[in-house]
Amino acid sequence: MCRADGVPDPAGTGDEASTDAAFTALLEDSAEDLYESAPCGYLSTMMDGTIAKINATLLDWLGLERHAVVGRTRFTDLLTVGGKLYHETHFAPLLRMQGELRGIALDLKRQGGGRLPVLVSAVVKHGSGGEPLLIRITVFDASDRRAYEEELLRRRQDAERSRAEAERAREEADAARRQAEADRSRLADALSVLQRSLVPDSLPAVPGLETAVHYHTASPDQLGGDFYDLFPVAGGRWAFFLGDVCGKGPEAASLTSLTRYTLRAAAHHDPDPATALATLNAVLHERYTASGNPRYCTCIFGVIEPGGAHGPATVRLASGGHPPALLLRADGRAEYLPTPGGMLVGALPGAPIATTETVLAAGDTLVLYTDGLTEARTGAGRDDLYGEDALRAFGADHAPAAPHEVITALTGLLKSFGDGLDDDTALLALGAPATPTPVLSATNPPS
């Protein structure tokens, strides 16, 4: 009985003899042909390794002639140097002990050079008395397998190298980040020290007055250009100023330093506010603008004469393009002291300077500020500026208030701006005590 493909059914119910005959008819190769043309290499050796028989497949693989191999060559002569060493130290001893070996990886030498990676299995044939007679060896071409293994190894090495390179890159990036953070920290420390050298750490105690100050630094990586000071001058009076130079960084710091020391020197020579600003204007114009590198600032300069324990304090102010001072009255009013017409200090050789006067009665507080406060960006899209109207309304909500109360409230306002506050801001408040109190002064805490 046959299947549809014409091959006899081995499990059929026909006569077994006819079935065997049908299978035999399909076997076109003789046993010798199967040996010689097998898809693997065969060889038999004497116990000393001399090759007694070898098939055509293995001879073809190695490029050898039968007459040059049989009886003339040992199995080890077909091996590479490393293969010979392995054969002597492992292969032969194990074969003698175990009688067989399976799947041993070796390299055979090809005629004319080159190697053939193979997998070798061997078994010892014994005689009827148990004595070893010969060794039968089967050789399988492992070129494709070796190539596959080498490719896997290369890919693994590439992957490991990539991981190592990635890890090294991460380590280098981490080291660079740590170095950058350390450099940034050192720079911030250096800039902080330099920034503190440009403004006083604290305000001096002024008899009959209360004072408070605050300085907000927008960026720890840049020197700001805001400045302030309070110092005694002749006749029991006190000079004070607050301003903002153009730009940031080292050039702004240099201009700030020149401005502070020029105003101090001018005030000791002549404490009149307009005269002090006129001197500063002449110095800045000659030093910068006239030489083709215009540098200027806004500044408000004042002289205050305390009125004693109970009397009012007299204040005279001069402004060069600076926002007006805000006055918080003891009766709850908040008003600006207008100084119209004042121009940027240093822009022109004879820049106009605006002046005004006022009296601080008991409980009154005068607030000076830089435009970082009024130009803070507000609103959902940070598209609006806080502005002077909002500041006056804020002052009216907190009046009357002593200097330290005003500065505390304004510091909270600055924090509420969040990322809308992107400029340095200096605040200075001077006030006549509402009731006789000990002399108070304020330090300049870091923002």
Side-chain angles (χ1 to χ4, degrees), residues 83-101:
K84 290 180 181 179
L85 179 62
Y86 184 83
H87 183 276
E88 296 300 326
T89 58
H90 293 78
F91 189 97
L94 288 174
L95 184 60
R96 285 193 297 269
M97 287 189 299
Q98 300 176 179
E100 64 177 355
L101 290 176

Side-chain angles (χ1 to χ4, degrees), residues 231 239 241 259 262-268 270-283 301-303 318 345 353:
F231 53 95
F241 57 79
T259 297
T262 298
L263 287 176
R264 270 184 165 263
H268 284 296
D270 185 347
D272 176 68
T275 302
L277 286 187
T279 300
L280 176 62
N281 183 79
V283 170
F301 187 100
V303 172
V345 180
I353 297 170

Side-chain angles (χ1 to χ4, degrees), residues 47-64:
M47 294 307 298
D48 65 356
T50 302
I51 298 174
K53 189 175 184 180
I54 185 169
N55 73 343
T57 300
L58 185 54
L59 290 171
D60 184 60
W61 285 352
L62 301 181
L64 299 175

Side-chain angles (χ1 to χ4, degrees), residues 38-43 55 57-58 61 137-141:
C40 61
Y42 288 119
L43 71 158
N55 73 343
T57 300
L58 185 54
W61 285 352
I137 301 174
T138 304
V139 179
F140 293 91
D141 185 347

Side-chain angles (χ1 to χ4, degrees), residues 205-244:
V206 181
L209 286 179
E210 294 178 358
T211 61
V213 71
H214 176 74
Y215 191 99
H216 167 79
T217 302
S219 171
D221 299 332
Q222 285 190 318
L223 290 169
D226 292 6
F227 59 90
Y228 60 85
D229 208 347
L230 173 67
F231 53 95
V233 290
R237 294 168 295 177
W238 290 77
F240 60 91
F241 57 79
L242 181 142
D244 182 7

Side-chain angles (χ1 to χ4, degrees), residues 43-405:
L43 71 158
S44 299
T45 73
M46 307 302 290
M47 294 307 298
D48 65 356
T50 302
I51 298 174
K53 189 175 184 180
I54 185 169
N55 73 343
T57 300
L58 185 54
L59 290 171
D60 184 60
W61 285 352
L62 301 181
L64 299 175
E65 297 293 336
R66 191 184 305 272
H67 65 83
V69 174
V70 175
R72 298 174 179 272
T73 303
R74 298 191 180 200
F75 175 64
T76 52
D77 295 331
L78 305 181
L79 301 176
T80 60
V81 174
K84 290 180 181 179
L85 179 62
Y86 184 83
H87 183 276
E88 296 300 326
T89 58
H90 293 78
F91 189 97
L94 288 174
L95 184 60
R96 285 193 297 269
M97 287 189 299
Q98 300 176 179
E100 64 177 355
L101 290 176
R102 298 183 184 277
I104 304 300
L106 295 172
D107 284 344
L108 302 183
K109 297 183 297 183
R110 293 179 185 271
Q111 186 70 16
R115 296 182 178 188
L116 175 67
V118 295
L119 292 176
V120 175
S121 295
V123 62
V124 177
K125 179 182 177 181
H126 295 84
S128 58
E131 72 281 9
L133 298 178
L134 57 83
I135 301 171
R136 290 173 174 167
I137 301 174
T138 304
V139 179
F140 293 91
D141 185 347
S143 300
D144 291 342
R145 175 173 176 171
R146 181 72 61 84
Y148 174 71
E149 291 173 345
E150 291 176 349
E151 178 64 21
L152 288 180
L153 178 61
R154 280 195 297 271
R155 292 188 179 185
R156 185 174 70 180
Q157 291 173 339
D158 290 343
E160 292 175 351
R161 185 161 48 250
S162 297
R163 285 194 295 270
E165 291 174 352
E167 181 63 26
R168 184 164 57 252
R170 282 193 296 270
E171 292 175 354
E172 291 175 353
D174 289 342
R177 176 182 53 78
R178 289 191 296 269
Q179 183 61 46
E181 290 175 352
D183 293 343
R184 181 185 178 91
S185 178
R186 286 193 293 269
L187 176 61
D189 291 342
L191 292 178
S192 178
V193 172
L194 181 55
Q195 186 74 67
R196 287 195 299 271
S197 71
L198 299 176
V199 292
D201 288 333
S202 61
L203 298 179
V206 181
L209 286 179
E210 294 178 358
T211 61
V213 71
H214 176 74
Y215 191 99
H216 167 79
T217 302
S219 171
D221 299 332
Q222 285 190 318
L223 290 169
D226 292 6
F227 59 90
Y228 60 85
D229 208 347
L230 173 67
F231 53 95
V233 290
R237 294 168 295 177
W238 290 77
F240 60 91
F241 57 79
L242 181 142
D244 182 7
V245 305
C246 64
K248 291 184 180 298
E251 290 187 353
S254 175
L255 181 57
T256 297
S257 179
L258 176 62
T259 297
R260 285 192 62 224
Y261 290 111
T262 298
L263 287 176
R264 270 184 165 263
H268 284 296
H269 178 73
D270 185 347
D272 176 68
T275 302
L277 286 187
T279 300
L280 176 62
N281 183 79
V283 170
L284 296 186
H285 186 271
E286 179 182 357
R287 174 74 175 272
Y288 296 104
T289 306
S291 62
N293 181 29
R295 308 286 293 174
Y296 45 80
C297 69
T298 67
C299 184
I300 188 166
F301 187 100
V303 172
I304 186 168
E305 186 172 350
H310 302 285
T314 302
V315 179
R316 290 186 296 143
L317 293 175
S319 176
H322 199 79
L326 179 64
L327 184 58
L328 306 185
R329 294 296 187 183
D331 59 8
R333 289 178 296 129
E335 58 187 15
Y336 286 114
L337 294 178
T339 50
M343 192 169 181
L344 292 174
V345 180
L348 296 174
I353 297 170
T355 59
T356 188
E357 294 186 10
T358 191
V359 173
L360 297 182
D364 291 347
T365 297
L366 183 68
V367 181
L368 308 181
Y369 55 92
T370 54
D371 58 10
L373 172 57
T374 52
E375 293 182 1
R377 294 174 287 108
T378 61
R382 302 299 188 190
D383 297 325
D384 301 322
L385 298 182
Y386 184 67
E388 293 181 356
D389 291 341
L391 178 59
R392 179 167 52 190
F394 182 87
D397 291 340
H398 291 79
H404 70 277
E405 295 172 338

